[in-house]
Amino acid sequence: MKSLRFVWPGWWVFLILGLTTLACTWSLVDLGFPAGPSPVPGGNGNPTPVALAEITFTALLPAPLAPGETLVLGVLDEVTGLGLNPTLYPMTAVDAQRYTLKLPLVLNSVIKYRYYRQGGFTALEDTANGNVVRYRLYHVTGPGGVEDRVASWSDTPFGGQTGSLSGTVIDTRTGRPVVNMLVNAGGISTLTDSLGQFLIHGLPVGTHNLVAYAPDGMHSTFQQGAAVAAGLTTNAPISVQSLPTVRVTFIVNTPADTVRGAPVRLAGNLLQLGNTFADLNAGVSTVATRMPTLSPLDDARQAITLTLPVGADVRYKYTLGDGFWNAEHGQDGRFVLRQLIVPASDVTVNDTIYTWASGNSAPILFEVSVPANTPPGENISIQFNPFGWMEPFPMWPLGGNRWVYKLYSPLNMIGSFHYRYCRNDQCGSADDVATSGSQANSRVVTTSVTGQDIKDTVKAWSWWPEAEPGALVAVPINPRKGGFWAGIEFSANYHPSWQGLFPSAIQSAQSLGANTLVLTPTWTATSFNPLTFAPTPGLDPLWGDVVQAVQYGRAQNLSVALYAVPRLFPSTPDFWFRAPRTPEWWETWFSRYRAFALYHADLAQQAGAQTLILGGEAVMPALPGGLLPNGAPAGTPADAEARWRGLLTEVRQRFSGQVLWAHPYRDVLLPAPAFVNQVDAVYLLWSVPLTASAGATVDTMTEAALARMDNELLPFLNAAGKGVVMAIDYPSATGAAWGCVSAGGSGCLDWAALARPFPDTPSALLDLKTQADLYQAVLQAVNQRDWVGGLVSRGYYPPVPLRDKSSSVRGKPAADLLWYWFPRLTGVVR
C-alpha cells in the first residue's frame, strides 16, 4: 500500500528532571522529506524474499471526526526518530467512530505505531492521562489483527472512565521475574522492576493489546488482550522465555566519498545498538556514543561482529553521525532502515551503503580549533539545530587541538540551520563560550549545491577558564583506621550520553585519592496522582547501565555504593504539597517505594556493590510522623514505622552488603527515625551553614562545624546508636557559607537548580574560593573528630570538569583539597 504524506506543526514534550527542562519532538514531513524509510532487508544489500502476514488494525475513536478530517496510522522508526520518519497510511471508516486498515508486515516483526487525526490541524493521539502516545506495539506472529481504543487527541481532553493493569513478568525457563521488560498497553509503556512487576494507570475501559518487549531483545515478546474495568486493576500475568544468542557479523561496503578514518557506527532499535527508548532532544531516541563502531577492513569495507538473541527483530542502519544526521540514504533520497530477524545460527550480513548524502546539497566540512586548555582525552562534539537543538555527537580529531566533521545529510530541505561546539557531548553545559546556554546565539550555516569548508575557532570554553594551580596549606592530618570512606558521589541528573564517560570520570575521582564511589541510580515519579513511580528511560539509568558503572568502579579498585534516589515531579516540595496523601494514596506510595528499594537491593547484589544507601530528603514526609517541607504534618499512616521496618528486613534478605540511611542536615537536624537501628550507619547529607554572613575565615568556619558536630550531630548519633559518613554538598556560589544563594530579590535558591544540565542562574554569583574554604573547614573539623567514619563529596559531575556554580568539585580548587586530604586521611600518604 502506498504511504501518505501529511503536514503538521511541531509539538513540544516536557521532560521533568526535578526542575523543568525542554525537549522537542517534531516531524520533518512538513519540510518535504519523504515519508517513511527506504525499506532494505539486511543481507547482501539486495531485497530478499521475506515472509509476510496481513494484519488488520482497527481504531475506535472517542468521537466522530469533523468533516474533512481523516485518520492516519503511522508506523514509526525509533532509529531515526519517532517524529522524524514515520510511514503513514490512511485508514478507512467502518462507521463514524471505527476505522480499519490492512497491512502486510514481516513475520516476527515488532511494530511501533500510533494514530494521527489529520485535517486543518494534525493531532496526535493522547493517553487518558493527557500525555502524547509515544507508541503502541504489535507483534506479528501470523495473520491477525488488533483493536485499539484512542483515548483522546492532543487538542481534546479525555472524558471517559479508566482502569489499570498490573502483573508480573516471569521467565518460564528459570521461573524468575524479569527486570527491565518494556510493557505496553493503550500507548502507555512502563518498565518492570526486579520483582518482574509492572503497573499501568489510566487505560480507557475495554480490551487493550498488552505487549511485553525486551529492549535488548534477550527475551521473547509476549502479546495478548487484557480487559480493563472502570476503577479496577486487572491482574495480567506474563510469561516469556530467555533466548539463545548467535554471532552476527555485519560487513558493509561504504561509499567512495566516505572520509577515511571516520568512525562508521551501527545504529539500531535495541539497547546495545544505541537506542535509549527515551524522548531525547528534538524527538530522537539514539545516542551516537552508545552505538557500536565498525572496524575497517583492507578495502572499502567495514565490519563488526555482535552477539544477538535468536528471533530478535533488529532494525538498523549505518551512520557517520546518529540515526538522523549523516545516516545512510537510499537511491530515492529516503532514510534507509534495514531489518534483520536474527536466525538460529551464526550469520554474516553483507550490506552496501548507496550514499551518505540526500538530494542535491553538497556536503559541509566543519573544522574547528579549540583552546589549549581543553582537558586531554575529551571529545569535541557538534550539535545541530534545524528547529530545536538535537543530540550532539563527536567530531573527528585531527591532532593539535583541531577537530573536523563532514556533514552529508539530511541537507536537501533544511536550508539554513544553527550549530555549536561543546565538550564531551554536553552542549548546554560545556559550551563554546560564544554560544553557551540553551538560548544562546549560535553559529549559522546555509546549505548549498557547492561544497563548503567552514573554519571556526573556539576562543574559550564556558566555565573552563585558564587557571593557575591553587596554593595548598600543609596541615597535620590524622590517618584513620581501615574502612574510612574517602568518597565521591556522582550527580543524580543522569543522561544516557554519560554512560561512555563513566570510565574517565571514575579515574578522575580515583586520582583525588578516593577509595569509595557513590553512584546515584534513580527512579522518577512522573505523576503524583495517580502515582507513577518507575524507572523512566532518558531520565533514569537502566539496570544494565548501573551494572556497567559498578563494574567500572570495581575495576579501579574502588568500593562502590548505590545511593538510590527518588526523583519527584515537578520538584520534591511540590510533589508532596500536591499529592492527595489519602489512605489509598499512601498505600500506593509505600507499595511503589518498596518496589524501588528492593529493585536497588537486587541491583546492588547482582552488580557487586558493597553498600546500599536508602532514604534522603525526598522521603522525609513519608517517615513516621513525617512533615511536609513547610513543617506541616504529612498525614503519614500510623503504621509507618512498621512499614519501614518490614521494608528494611526485606532489603537485608536480598542484599548482603552494608545498608546505610541517608539523613539530611541543613539548618536543623531532625531526630533519626527509630527504624534506623536496623541499618549499619547514617549517610549524613551535610550542607550546614557555617557562618551568618560574608567574610568568615576558614578557622572560624571550622569552629562552627565542630560546634555543630559536637552539639547536634554527636547526640543524634548516640541516640541512633550508629556511626556516620558525612556527605558534603556546597555549591561554588556566594551565599553557600550562610545557606542562602540568591534567587533574585529576597529569595534563596534551591541548590539543586545550580546543578548541570540546568541553565545558569544569573542571580547566583560564582565563588570558587568559598566552596574551597567550606571544604577546608569541614575537613579540618573531621580531622579532629575520629568518630566520623568517612567524608564524601556530593554532586560530582561525571561528563566533564567545569568551574561553574554547581556543587560538583570536579576541576575546582575544592578538588585540589581532596587530592591533598584523601590520601592522608586514608593513610596512603603519611
Side-chain angles (χ1 to χ4, degrees):
M1 175 174 290
K2 185 178 179 181
S3 61
L4 176 71
R5 293 174 60 196
F6 74 106
V7 177
W8 56 288
W11 53 277
W12 296 90
V13 173
F14 291 88
L15 299 179
I16 306 303
L17 293 153
L19 296 176
T20 304
T21 60
L22 191 63
C24 172
T25 301
W26 35 267
S27 171
L28 288 180
V29 176
D30 56 330
L31 296 178
F33 278 79
S38 202
V40 180
N44 302 319
N46 297 311
T48 55
V50 292
L52 300 176
E54 186 175 75
I55 306 300
T56 301
F57 293 87
T58 302
L60 304 180
L61 305 187
L65 299 181
E69 290 184 329
T70 58
L71 188 69
V72 173
L73 181 145
V75 176
L76 305 177
D77 167 12
E78 197 167 17
V79 184
T80 307
L82 295 177
L84 308 181
N85 193 39
T87 305
L88 308 168
Y89 302 94
M91 301 187 73
T92 302
V94 176
D95 57 40
Q97 291 178 246
R98 183 186 298 266
Y99 285 72
T100 189
L101 169 69
K102 296 181 184 294
L103 286 179
L105 298 170
V106 175
L107 196 63
N108 296 320
S109 295
V110 176
I111 306 301
K112 299 172 181 177
Y113 68 100
R114 62 186 171 199
Y115 297 102
Y116 305 79
R117 194 194 74 222
Q118 183 187 3
F121 168 83
T122 298
L124 281 74
E125 61 167 323
D126 270 5
T127 67
N129 299 326
N131 300 314
V132 171
V133 168
R134 190 165 193 267
Y135 50 65
R136 300 172 181 268
L137 293 175
Y138 184 81
H139 186 207
V140 183
T141 57
V146 61
E147 187 172 87
D148 296 316
R149 285 169 165 75
V150 175
S152 63
W153 300 104
S154 52
D155 60 346
T156 56
F158 175 74
Q161 294 181 307
T162 64
S164 303
L165 283 175
S166 68
T168 303
V169 179
I170 298 295
D171 185 335
T172 57
R173 295 188 189 275
T174 65
R176 295 178 178 176
V178 182
V179 69
N180 215 47
M181 286 288 285
L182 183 74
V183 181
N184 179 284
I188 303 174
S189 295
T190 190
L191 291 171
T192 57
D193 57 33
S194 63
L195 304 176
Q197 296 176 344
F198 67 91
L199 177 62
I200 298 177
H201 290 298
L203 292 170
V205 172
T207 300
H208 295 269
N209 192 42
L210 175 66
V211 179
Y213 170 79
D216 60 2
M218 294 301 296
H219 287 82
S220 60
T221 300
F222 171 93
Q223 179 172 263
Q224 75 171 29
V228 172
L232 300 178
T233 299
T234 300
N235 182 47
I238 293 176
S239 297
V240 297
Q241 289 187 343
S242 53
L243 299 174
T245 59
V246 297
R247 289 167 60 85
V248 180
T249 299
F250 296 87
I251 300 176
V252 62
N253 288 287
T254 58
D257 63 346
T258 303
V259 175
R260 186 173 182 177
V264 177
R265 295 185 171 92
L266 190 67
N269 63 329
L270 301 181
L271 280 175
Q272 54 269 49
L273 301 181
N275 189 9
T276 66
F277 292 84
D279 292 310
L280 304 178
N281 282 333
V284 300
S285 299
T286 58
V287 172
T289 53
R290 296 175 68 107
M291 300 170 187
T293 302
L294 284 74
S295 299
L297 301 178
D298 292 338
D299 48 21
R301 298 180 302 160
Q302 302 218 17
I304 191 171
T305 298
L306 302 175
T307 300
L308 295 174
V310 172
D313 177 11
V314 179
R315 311 295 178 95
Y316 70 99
K317 64 171 70 177
Y318 300 97
T319 180
L320 295 173
D322 59 14
F324 179 78
W325 296 102
N326 260 10
E328 59 174 316
H329 285 254
Q331 190 172 2
D332 57 5
R334 297 186 183 187
F335 291 102
V336 167
L337 185 64
R338 303 173 185 270
Q339 182 175 19
L340 173 69
I341 306 298
V342 178
S345 58
D346 294 352
V347 65
T348 297
V349 177
N350 291 285
D351 291 322
T352 297
I353 299 170
Y354 179 78
T355 182
W356 299 118
S358 60
N360 296 322
S361 295
I364 303 172
L365 187 68
F366 296 88
E367 298 183 63
V368 63
S369 297
V370 299
N373 74 333
T374 303
E378 288 191 351
N379 285 318
I380 302 306
S381 305
I382 192 166
Q383 186 182 33
F384 297 119
N385 178 356
F387 332 99
W389 289 114
M390 302 187 74
E391 288 297 314
F393 43 82
M395 301 179 71
W396 309 324
L398 291 177
N401 292 318
R402 294 171 58 240
W403 295 73
V404 67
Y405 191 79
K406 189 174 185 177
L407 183 63
Y408 297 86
S409 64
L411 300 177
N412 52 325
M413 298 299 293
I414 291 180
S416 295
F417 60 98
H418 299 255
Y419 70 99
R420 63 179 173 181
Y421 304 105
C422 62
R423 298 162 48 206
N424 274 358
D425 287 356
Q426 303 310 303
C427 293
S429 296
D431 298 313
D432 172 1
V433 72
T435 60
S436 62
S438 58
Q439 304 300 321
N441 294 323
S442 55
R443 305 173 190 267
V444 180
V445 63
T446 301
T447 58
S448 172
V449 294
T450 58
Q452 300 178 69
D453 186 352
I454 297 175
K455 293 180 170 63
D456 292 318
T457 298
V458 174
K459 295 182 179 179
W461 294 115
S462 182
W463 307 113
W464 195 244
E466 297 284 353
E468 295 294 329
L472 292 173
V473 179
V475 297
I477 296 175
N478 301 315
R480 301 305 175 92
K481 297 178 181 179
F484 183 86
W485 285 33
I488 296 294
E489 180 191 308
F490 279 5
S491 167
N493 295 334
Y494 179 81
H495 185 275
S497 66
W498 291 13
Q499 197 67 28
L501 302 172
F502 277 149
S504 61
I506 292 169
Q507 288 176 3
S508 74
Q510 187 192 46
S511 71
L512 299 179
N515 62 14
T516 302
L517 172 67
V518 182
L519 300 173
T520 51
T522 56
W523 280 15
T524 299
T526 55
S527 169
F528 52 83
N529 189 29
L531 178 61
T532 303
F533 182 41
T536 304
L539 301 180
D540 307 316
L542 302 185
W543 182 277
D545 297 328
V546 180
V547 170
Q548 186 181 61
V550 172
Q551 292 171 345
Y552 289 149
R554 296 296 302 274
Q556 295 295 323
N557 296 316
L558 296 176
S559 176
V560 180
L562 297 189
Y563 175 17
V565 178
R567 300 174 68 179
L568 306 182
F569 162 79
S571 68
T572 294
D574 285 345
F575 175 89
W576 287 109
F577 287 138
R578 296 167 66 180
R581 304 192 311 279
T582 62
E584 296 78 15
W585 187 91
W586 279 115
E587 193 68 33
T588 302
W589 161 260
F590 277 104
S591 174
R592 295 310 299 156
Y593 190 84
R594 172 181 177 269
F596 167 81
L598 298 185
Y599 174 98
H600 287 97
D602 292 338
L603 178 54
Q605 184 71 23
Q606 179 179 315
Q610 287 89 346
T611 304
L612 174 66
I613 305 171
L614 297 173
E617 191 167 15
V619 304
M620 293 296 285
L623 300 185
L627 302 176
L628 295 175
N630 63 359
T636 316
D639 63 348
E641 177 74 25
R643 289 175 185 259
W644 282 105
R645 288 191 176 277
L647 173 57
L648 289 173
T649 299
E650 287 189 272
V651 166
R652 291 286 198 185
Q653 292 169 349
R654 306 179 82 92
F655 177 60
S656 58
Q658 284 190 319
V659 178
L660 273 60
W661 180 259
H663 195 82
Y665 185 15
R666 295 194 177 186
D667 290 329
V668 177
L669 181 60
L670 296 175
F675 62 74
V676 165
N677 63 7
Q678 291 184 236
V679 303
D680 295 297
V682 173
Y683 188 71
L684 190 76
L685 308 179
W686 173 288
S687 50
V688 177
L690 297 183
T691 181
S693 60
T697 66
V698 170
D699 288 342
T700 300
M701 292 192 291
T702 300
E703 292 302 317
L706 285 168
R708 290 276 197 156
M709 292 166 68
D710 292 343
N711 299 330
E712 298 178 20
L713 178 55
L714 188 58
F716 169 94
L717 296 173
N718 289 336
K722 298 298 172 183
V724 65
V725 172
M726 292 174 56
I728 311 304
D729 182 3
Y730 287 117
S732 44
T734 300
W738 55 89
C740 182
V741 175
S742 175
S746 59
C748 297
L749 191 70
D750 182 346
W751 292 356
L754 297 174
R756 298 296 165 183
F758 302 124
D760 180 50
T761 303
S763 63
L765 303 179
L766 179 67
D767 192 342
L768 298 173
K769 183 179 183 301
T770 289
Q771 184 190 46
D773 289 348
L774 287 163
Y775 265 81
Q776 180 78 11
V778 174
L779 285 163
Q780 291 181 170
V782 168
N783 191 40
Q784 300 177 50
R785 298 295 182 264
D786 60 5
W787 45 264
V788 176
L791 188 140
V792 174
S793 175
R794 303 191 65 206
Y796 198 81
Y797 188 55
V800 288
L802 294 172
R803 297 185 182 115
D804 63 357
K805 306 170 188 177
S806 73
S807 295
S808 174
V809 301
R810 189 175 182 188
K812 299 177 182 177
D816 297 334
L817 287 172
L818 297 181
W819 172 85
Y820 179 81
W821 278 82
F822 273 176
R824 291 164 176 80
L825 283 171
T826 56
V828 175
V829 176
R830 295 182 182 273

